[in-house]
Amino acid sequence: MSTYKQVIYTTTPNPAINPSLTNGTFSIKTVPKPTNVPADKLLVRTHYLSLDPAMRQWLTAKRSYIAPVELGAVMRGQSIAQIITVGADLSSKFTPGDWVVAYSGWQEYALLGAKEVEKVVLPPGGRPTDAMSVLGMTGLTAYFGMTEVGFPKEGETVVVSGAAGATGMVAGQIAKIKGAKRVVGLAGSKDKCEFLVKELGFDAAINYKDADWKKQLKEATPEYIDVFFDNTGGEILDACLARAARDSRFVICGAISQYNAAKPQGPTSFMTVISQRVTMKGFIVFDYAKKYGTALQELASWLSQGKLKRKEHIVPGGIEGAPQALVDLYKGVNTGKMMVEVAPVSEAIKAKL
Ligand SMILES: NC(=O)c1ccc[n+]([C@@H]2O[C@H](COP(=O)([O-])OP(=O)(O)OC[C@H]3O[C@@H](n4cnc5c(N)ncnc54)[C@H](OP(=O)(O)O)[C@@H]3O)[C@@H](O)[C@H]2O)c1
């Protein structure tokens, strides 16, 4: 009998994720591959799993924007997948071989309904994994956070934290496209900072692990900060708040520095919000679902024109690597969108022949 592997959420993290597959947060389960595909379902094969900082939040039963993953369930997550079999009722919409962004969870194969997949549509020069990064959730997050919440104007100073990550790198480039005078990125290594300035066109980048990073931030923002796109929270948010310009907009996109903390820390320089009339606004990308189409068109045209660059960090070696890769995401091993390669694309092409 043909089988496949699933990653099961097994033990609540306390507070950090334990990547061990024998006594950790997740375990591997082997299950039979479906032989019959129901009329209203698609059988998909997962190729690339998306790793997202929010996954840590999904493992904790708290009031949030989404229900937690249940213990014993397949770990939730998006993937780039290829349709293997199409149920009889769906044959007018899908064809075996179609590439989709799938709400598959962490498993090698999945039986999904039509609403759990989105066909991958790529612009010239696009590749399937773009649909899960620059033309997917992280690209859209950067787009709406920057254009709708931060809305930088010509001549303004924009600072982005987590700038070399999937969301941050797109956010900073959009600020440049929108005419910001000065775009400054904060990231966790010298190489990442060089990448931001030399390859993505940021005006400056600061390694927040340098001892004097706050001094560097001050020097890089001589006219203070008009828009802060925050992916990290914690000390970085605090330092940027202390540099807030009058009427600045603080886009609260994420707070990765606090996700694994037993007791998350808020900013101490919050009184700047009053003195400088700062607007701090949190948002969730799903709030803008009705506008995804227009946003994707614009992102795709920037990508095709070379105005928007992207990078991926793909962890090879199959689905067993996902728990460790998720832990590594919080350590910042990635530049760009972090994914796990469950099955290389070339195998899929071979399977089609
Ligand atoms: N609001 C929404 O709808 C929405 C949607 C998607 C994502 N998000 C948020 O956006 C942020 C970025 O997500 P992403 O998917 O694009 O991930 P990502 O930025 O590609 O990866 C996470 C990065 O965070 C940085 N990081 C980790 N720990 C840190 C710390 N203690 N302090 C500062 N930086 C740290 C690491 O880079 P360094 O080497 O620079 O430390 C790491 O590469 C996350 O906070 C996520 O939750 C929000």
Side-chain angles (χ1 to χ4, degrees), residues 7 19 26 49 51 106 315 318-328 340:
V7 179
F26 304 99
L49 291 181
L51 293 183
W106 287 9
V315 180
I319 201 153
E320 290 91 342
Q324 183 60 54
L326 183 57
V327 169
D328 290 344
V340 170

Side-chain angles (χ1 to χ4, degrees), residues 51-54 57 65 137-138 141 161-168 186-189 192 208-209 229-233 236 252-259 282-286 328-338:
L51 293 183
D52 299 279
Q57 318 283 87
Y65 67 96
M137 214 252 297
T138 49
T141 302
S161 65
T167 307
L186 285 150
S189 75
K192 289 188 185 191
Y208 71 88
K209 292 178 182 164
F229 189 108
D230 191 19
N231 288 312
T232 60
I236 292 176
I252 309 302
C253 174
I256 192 167
S257 73
Q258 304 301 308
Y259 291 168
F283 77 102
I284 295 291
V285 62
F286 309 144
D328 290 344
L329 178 71
Y330 301 106
K331 291 187 190 150
V333 303
N334 60 309
T335 298
K337 175 70 194 171
M338 181 96 156

Side-chain angles (χ1 to χ4, degrees), residues 160-221:
V160 179
S161 65
T167 307
M169 71 170 58
V170 178
Q173 292 181 85
I174 293 176
K176 253 341 235 188
I177 291 169
K178 294 287 173 187
K181 170 175 165 187
R182 193 179 283 119
V183 176
V184 180
L186 285 150
S189 75
K190 189 168 172 268
D191 286 352
K192 289 188 185 191
C193 289
E194 270 181 26
F195 167 73
L196 292 173
V197 173
K198 291 192 182 144
E199 289 184 46
L200 301 189
F202 280 52
D203 298 285
I206 297 160
N207 178 356
Y208 71 88
K209 292 178 182 164
D210 284 352
D212 66 343
W213 70 272
K214 288 185 191 166
K215 183 170 163 272
Q216 292 182 45
L217 178 67
K218 192 173 171 193
E219 284 163 6
T221 56

